[in-house]
Amino acid sequence: MGKYGEEGDKLLFKILNSGDFLAKADPHSLSEKNSVKITSQISEKGLRYDLTVPFARFVVQHQNEITFPFKRYQIQPVWRADRPQKGRYREFFQCDVDVVGSNSLMNEVELIQIVDDVYQALNIQVLVKMNNRKILSGIAEIIGAADKIVDITVAIDKLDKIGIEKVNEELEQKGLPREAVDQLQPIINLTGTNQEKIATLKTVFAHSEVGLKGVEEIETVFAYLASLDISTEVELDLTLARGLNYYTGAIFEVKALDVQIGSITGGGRYDDLTGIFGLKDVSGVGISFGADRIYDVMNQLDLYPKESIVSTQLLFVNFGEKEALYSLKNLQKIRKAGINAELYPDAAKMKKQMTYANKKAIAFVAMAGEDEMNQGKLTLKNMTTGEQQLLTVEEVINVIA
Amino acid sequence: MGKYGEEGDKLLFKILNSGDFLAKADPHSLSEKNSVKITSQISEKGLRYDLTVPFARFVVQHQNEITFPFKRYQIQPVWRADRPQKGRYREFFQCDVDVVGSNSLMNEVELIQIVDDVYQALNIQVLVKMNNRKILSGIAEIIGAADKIVDITVAIDKLDKIGIEKVNEELEQKGLPREAVDQLQPIINLTGTNQEKIATLKTVFAHSEVGLKGVEEIETVFAYLASLDISTEVELDLTLARGLNYYTGAIFEVKALDVQIGSITGGGRYDDLTGIFGLKDVSGVGISFGADRIYDVMNQLDLYPKESIVSTQLLFVNFGEKEALYSLKNLQKIRKAGINAELYPDAAKMKKQMTYANKKAIAFVAMAGEDEMNQGKLTLKNMTTGEQQLLTVEEVINVIA
């Protein structure tokens, strides 16, 4: 609690203490039904909310054993006590990659390379959106509202969802003067190529040191990317802010181009995440792939290879105890050759066993009765052509492998 | 709740409802601090306790899409609200294999083959202990206490831990007559080979149909195993009962021979597990590997291959922005060749970068300065021999791959 902001505290699943959990609860809060006060008295544990904060704790705890810069990936489920809906789950898998203990922008470049590799391998067309928190700070600075940076980023983050007018309303509600909101407009709606945006920002930020620093950082990353073999488009998007308060540099978000769904990967740089665990000034940059949304995208685009669902290549028909034993010995050899094979466990009717083979789309069926056993062979049936052959087990392996 | 018995209900982690969870709680139970009554009013969700009950539910829910006999494996974390200790964790990974919808003992044989395969691959010496719930029922029958079968198995299960005297005490406490307890002694302490035990049991069970059925089942499994290429020893152990109430046939447990730790794999046959979800008479048999205990065993026996912890084979030294870009392009080619390589992200002092390479036990270091860039080459240093060579990127790949 307290690591993910007020919203995070609400969305964190809390585990009820074991045993007589009410014994130590404050009677007054109980009779008042004060859920907020009682929570900490009856719950000491929670479900993992993300992988970044646990990672920060790990780094602090093992700072003397770790070699910095420290790189790690981590794949685990996380939980959010949110209302479930399409693309939003209460339990989902995050796949995180982080580098801690290096300020180099090379890390940002490498993370984008990873994004490029992953989505090329999965055959998903994506767009990487990039921004820099320093650019957002520069914007706040030039409109004279540096203390409103969090409010501005939270509001801008909603541009896609609620539109420019509602964003402006929200900004005014947060106490931003009308003229500051007006000044924000051209910046939020900045268009053109990355180079054009960067050129405009340099002029706008003539008097904002932090803004210029942000532009310089993003320019460096783009320069590296331009000379590398990266096929994914990377776009500077000033509306990209993300809700998280801890980013201090780069901000990333990845959108699938062919499916309407929230971001499928996101991340950024945080200059002082380990600070909450007592280790100051250690910079980290990372991204998190949302496995479940990626799964949704792949399902919707039908990208799973058909071969990936074939489990059994060969089925041994079961004719009875003696035949099953003979089949089992051959089965062992065939499995050792790397072929997925199984013996129908019961001596059921032939039709039932064949139905099983058909339903599971098994390509070959092996039969061993009195004749085959006498000759030390197997009858192999190709379920597509219907063709049958009397073969040794080695020949069977050669046909299927 | 209610799926794992009284003990299970206690050990199941409960999740506190979100929001104002006390709003609907009964004021009387609150003022009485009645934790038991309040639990169901403030908690609707729990953490996964095992993989078997969720699997049974899956089977019932998808009974019309599934092809029976249905085989599946599943690897997931489960949670127990237990006091953590060596070999006992609050969160641990189970790896389950089950076959549902077949009464054939061939499935038991296949599960033992899987155990044999897994532990041979992991290089862990194990003993498979086997029993049959019908044998235990037969024992209860011949001592005239068929209704005490659960008490008897729970008590016998503790033989290893608390010894025969305490087991006898417990049996008497549970209301078993002294003479029945006496009759149990020779059976619990039965010794000899599996064949000898089976022969004795056949005599003992002359008038117990269920007992004889159990002996016949285990004899069939042993007969199959004897004619297969299985190197793991399988032992009939009448003290093996396991706490779970739902087994109806085979009971398995696997012990690591070289490490003092609880069972690292266990399972059995349950004739009517899906019954609690409304699908009657579907038999299943399965085993569960305890990944965390297996991990403990491998750590204690130092069985992890040394290669498995080498992450980076080649490190590019970072001499500055221009050199880093040149390195990055070469890095891309080297990674595409399947070599784990990285670029030190910062242009830090040479000594710092070399210390990093040494600490991570990186075998090769690549350096590219003015000279190498002009020639389109890399200087490759073998960190073991200290030898340096000026090579093309293709030559570097050939040296390392």
Side-chain angles (χ1 to χ4, degrees):
Chain A
M1 297 282 280
K3 303 280 190 297
Y4 299 103
E6 214 176 300
E7 186 72 1
D9 282 353
K10 268 187 213 154
L11 296 181
L12 203 141
F13 274 117
K14 288 147 201 98
I15 294 173
L16 200 55
N17 289 346
S18 298
D20 188 8
F21 58 88
L22 284 178
K24 287 180 190 161
D26 162 36
H28 183 67
S29 304
L30 278 179
S31 69
E32 273 194 326
K33 291 195 167 191
N34 189 330
S35 296
V36 176
K37 273 200 183 157
I38 288 295
T39 299
S40 61
Q41 299 174 28
I42 64 174
S43 164
E44 280 166 5
K45 289 179 282 290
L47 294 189
R48 195 185 302 121
Y49 183 84
D50 76 354
L51 305 183
T52 308
V53 171
F55 173 59
R57 186 173 66 168
F58 176 89
V59 168
V60 174
Q61 215 168 342
H62 298 274
Q63 55 184 290
N64 297 320
E65 303 127 56
I66 284 173
T67 307
F68 291 98
F70 179 59
K71 300 175 174 187
R72 82 90 178 70
Y73 71 86
Q74 183 172 351
I75 300 175
Q76 269 185 315
V78 300
W79 291 267
R80 306 272 165 98
D82 215 344
R83 208 174 292 273
Q85 47 184 288
K86 186 176 182 295
R88 193 176 296 278
Y89 304 102
R90 290 203 287 212
E91 177 178 10
F92 55 99
F93 273 78
Q94 289 192 330
C95 316
D96 277 27
V97 186
D98 289 87
V99 186
V100 143
S102 160
N103 295 311
S104 169
L105 294 167
M106 202 62 82
N107 299 304
E108 274 82 341
V109 173
E110 288 226 281
L111 291 176
I112 294 169
Q113 279 187 297
I114 290 172
V115 168
D116 183 58
D117 276 358
V118 165
Y119 288 110
Q120 275 200 58
L122 295 177
N123 210 8
I124 299 175
Q125 306 298 317
V126 297
L127 168 67
V128 176
K129 292 183 173 193
M130 241 193 118
N131 197 3
N132 192 298
R133 185 58 175 264
K134 295 188 181 79
I135 292 179
L136 294 171
S137 298
I139 293 170
E141 197 175 57
I142 58 157
I143 62 170
D147 60 321
K148 289 276 187 291
I149 173 72
V150 173
D151 291 336
I152 293 175
T153 58
V154 168
I156 292 181
D157 195 24
K158 298 179 184 166
L159 184 70
D160 270 359
K161 284 180 211 152
I162 64 175
I164 185 85
E165 293 201 6
K166 294 262 179 202
V167 168
N168 291 342
E169 262 176 44
E170 187 167 325
L171 286 171
E172 285 190 67
Q173 275 167 15
K174 294 284 178 184
L176 215 65
R178 181 73 225 174
E179 58 177 356
V181 175
D182 285 345
Q183 266 181 285
L184 269 180
Q185 306 306 301
I187 292 171
I188 298 176
N189 288 311
L190 196 71
T191 54
T193 65
N194 291 337
Q195 294 318 313
E196 286 164 358
K197 287 176 186 171
I198 285 172
T200 309
L201 284 175
K202 278 184 180 170
T203 319
V204 175
F205 287 148
H207 301 294
S208 167
E209 201 186 326
V210 64
L212 284 179
K213 179 73 182 143
V215 174
E216 185 198 312
E217 286 186 8
I218 216 157
E219 207 177 7
T220 304
V221 171
F222 285 156
Y224 275 118
L225 290 174
S227 51
L228 284 172
D229 179 19
I230 300 267
S231 58
T232 303
E233 193 192 342
V234 183
E235 180 191 283
L236 170 55
D237 181 353
L238 293 190
T239 72
L240 180 64
R242 295 179 66 82
L244 295 166
N245 292 334
Y246 52 70
Y247 291 133
T248 51
I251 305 173
F252 307 105
E253 203 162 274
V254 180
K255 293 264 180 195
L257 293 178
D258 304 318
V259 174
Q260 279 284 0
I261 197 165
S263 69
I264 54 177
T265 297
R269 179 175 286 275
Y270 31 85
D271 277 345
D272 190 34
L273 189 75
T274 57
I276 51 170
F277 295 110
L279 181 64
K280 294 284 174 202
D281 297 326
V282 175
S283 184
V285 58
I287 44 166
S288 180
F289 292 83
D292 302 78
R293 284 192 181 169
I294 293 172
Y295 178 88
D296 288 341
V297 168
M298 293 185 70
N299 264 336
Q300 200 168 322
L301 300 178
D302 202 16
L303 291 177
Y304 281 98
K306 294 290 162 282
E307 316 86 78
S308 68
I309 56 163
V310 173
S311 59
T312 302
Q313 299 164 272
L314 171 67
L315 174 75
F316 277 87
V317 175
N318 190 328
F319 291 110
E321 220 168 285
K322 209 172 40 160
E323 293 86 352
L325 182 56
Y326 178 82
S327 296
L328 215 51
K329 288 180 186 176
N330 285 296
L331 179 59
Q332 228 177 359
K333 288 182 193 160
I334 287 168
R335 283 177 172 164
K336 277 200 177 131
I339 294 167
N340 293 335
E342 59 178 308
L343 165 66
Y344 194 88
D346 303 274
K349 282 192 181 136
M350 189 69 175
K351 198 185 161 198
K352 192 174 179 189
Q353 298 191 42
M354 284 303 183
T355 305
Y356 177 83
N358 282 326
K359 279 198 181 165
K360 290 191 73 179
I362 298 173
F364 293 95
V365 161
M367 287 165 289
E370 200 65 35
D371 276 3
E372 287 87 354
M373 286 165 67
N374 286 337
Q375 296 179 65
K377 292 195 173 182
L378 298 166
T379 294
L380 184 72
K381 181 175 181 179
N382 180 321
M383 295 292 281
T384 317
T385 64
E387 185 198 2
Q388 294 196 179
Q389 288 176 280
L390 186 68
L391 303 172
T392 66
V393 65
E394 290 75 20
E395 289 167 339
V396 167
I397 291 169
N398 283 335
V399 169
I400 300 174
Chain B
M1 298 283 279
K3 303 279 191 297
Y4 299 103
E6 212 177 301
E7 186 71 1
D9 281 355
K10 269 189 213 155
L11 296 182
L12 204 140
F13 273 117
K14 288 144 201 102
I15 293 171
L16 199 57
N17 289 345
S18 298
D20 189 7
F21 58 88
L22 284 177
K24 287 181 190 162
D26 162 36
H28 182 66
S29 303
L30 278 180
S31 68
E32 274 195 327
K33 291 197 167 189
N34 189 332
S35 296
V36 176
K37 273 200 183 158
I38 287 295
T39 299
S40 62
Q41 300 175 27
I42 63 173
S43 165
E44 281 167 4
K45 290 180 281 292
L47 294 189
R48 196 184 301 122
Y49 184 82
D50 76 354
L51 305 182
T52 308
V53 171
F55 173 59
R57 186 172 67 168
F58 175 90
V59 169
V60 175
Q61 214 168 343
H62 299 274
Q63 55 184 290
N64 297 321
E65 304 127 54
I66 284 172
T67 308
F68 292 98
F70 180 59
K71 299 175 175 187
R72 81 89 178 72
Y73 71 87
Q74 184 174 350
I75 300 175
Q76 269 183 316
V78 300
W79 291 267
R80 307 272 166 98
D82 216 344
R83 208 175 292 274
Q85 47 185 288
K86 186 177 182 295
R88 193 176 296 275
Y89 305 101
R90 290 203 286 214
E91 176 178 10
F92 55 98
F93 274 77
Q94 288 193 331
C95 315
D96 277 28
V97 186
D98 289 87
V99 186
V100 144
S102 162
N103 295 311
S104 168
L105 294 169
M106 203 61 83
N107 299 303
E108 275 80 343
V109 173
E110 289 225 281
L111 291 176
I112 294 168
Q113 278 188 297
I114 290 172
V115 168
D116 183 58
D117 276 358
V118 165
Y119 289 110
Q120 275 200 58
L122 296 177
N123 210 7
I124 299 175
Q125 306 299 317
V126 297
L127 169 68
V128 176
K129 292 182 173 194
M130 241 192 116
N131 197 3
N132 192 298
R133 186 57 176 262
K134 295 188 181 80
I135 292 179
L136 294 171
S137 299
I139 293 170
E141 197 176 57
I142 58 157
I143 62 170
D147 58 321
K148 288 277 185 292
I149 173 73
V150 173
D151 292 335
I152 292 175
T153 58
V154 168
I156 292 182
D157 196 22
K158 298 179 184 166
L159 184 69
D160 271 359
K161 285 179 210 151
I162 63 175
I164 186 85
E165 293 201 7
K166 295 261 179 200
V167 168
N168 290 342
E169 264 175 44
E170 188 169 324
L171 287 170
E172 284 190 66
Q173 275 166 17
K174 295 283 178 186
L176 214 66
R178 181 71 224 177
E179 57 177 355
V181 174
D182 285 344
Q183 265 182 287
L184 269 180
Q185 306 307 303
I187 292 171
I188 297 176
N189 288 309
L190 196 71
T191 55
T193 66
N194 291 337
Q195 295 318 315
E196 287 164 358
K197 288 177 186 171
I198 285 172
T200 309
L201 284 175
K202 280 184 179 171
T203 319
V204 175
F205 287 147
H207 301 292
S208 167
E209 200 185 327
V210 65
L212 282 179
K213 178 76 182 140
V215 174
E216 185 198 314
E217 286 185 10
I218 216 157
E219 207 177 5
T220 305
V221 171
F222 285 156
Y224 275 117
L225 289 174
S227 52
L228 284 172
D229 178 21
I230 299 266
S231 59
T232 303
E233 193 192 340
V234 183
E235 179 191 284
L236 170 55
D237 180 353
L238 292 189
T239 71
L240 180 65
R242 295 180 67 84
L244 295 166
N245 292 334
Y246 51 71
Y247 291 133
T248 51
I251 306 173
F252 307 104
E253 203 162 274
V254 180
K255 293 265 180 194
L257 293 178
D258 304 318
V259 175
Q260 278 284 1
I261 197 165
S263 69
I264 55 177
T265 297
R269 179 174 286 275
Y270 31 85
D271 277 345
D272 191 33
L273 190 74
T274 58
I276 52 170
F277 296 109
L279 182 64
K280 294 284 174 201
D281 297 326
V282 176
S283 184
V285 59
I287 44 166
S288 180
F289 291 83
D292 302 77
R293 284 192 181 170
I294 294 172
Y295 177 88
D296 288 340
V297 168
M298 293 185 69
N299 264 335
Q300 200 168 321
L301 299 178
D302 202 16
L303 290 177
Y304 281 98
K306 293 291 161 282
E307 316 87 77
S308 68
I309 56 164
V310 173
S311 58
T312 303
Q313 299 164 273
L314 170 68
L315 174 75
F316 278 86
V317 175
N318 190 327
F319 291 110
E321 222 169 281
K322 207 171 44 159
E323 294 86 353
L325 181 57
Y326 177 83
S327 296
L328 215 51
K329 289 180 185 173
N330 285 296
L331 179 59
Q332 228 176 1
K333 288 181 193 160
I334 287 168
R335 282 177 172 163
K336 276 199 178 132
I339 294 166
N340 292 336
E342 60 178 309
L343 166 66
Y344 195 88
D346 303 274
K349 284 193 181 135
M350 189 67 176
K351 197 185 161 196
K352 192 175 178 187
Q353 299 191 42
M354 284 304 181
T355 304
Y356 177 82
N358 282 326
K359 278 197 180 167
K360 291 190 73 179
I362 298 174
F364 293 95
V365 161
M367 287 165 289
E370 201 65 37
D371 276 3
E372 287 87 353
M373 287 164 67
N374 286 338
Q375 296 180 63
K377 293 196 171 180
L378 297 166
T379 294
L380 184 71
K381 181 175 180 176
N382 181 320
M383 294 292 280
T384 316
T385 63
E387 185 199 2
Q388 294 197 179
Q389 287 176 280
L390 186 67
L391 303 171
T392 65
V393 65
E394 290 75 20
E395 288 167 339
V396 166
I397 291 168
N398 284 334
V399 169
I400 300 176

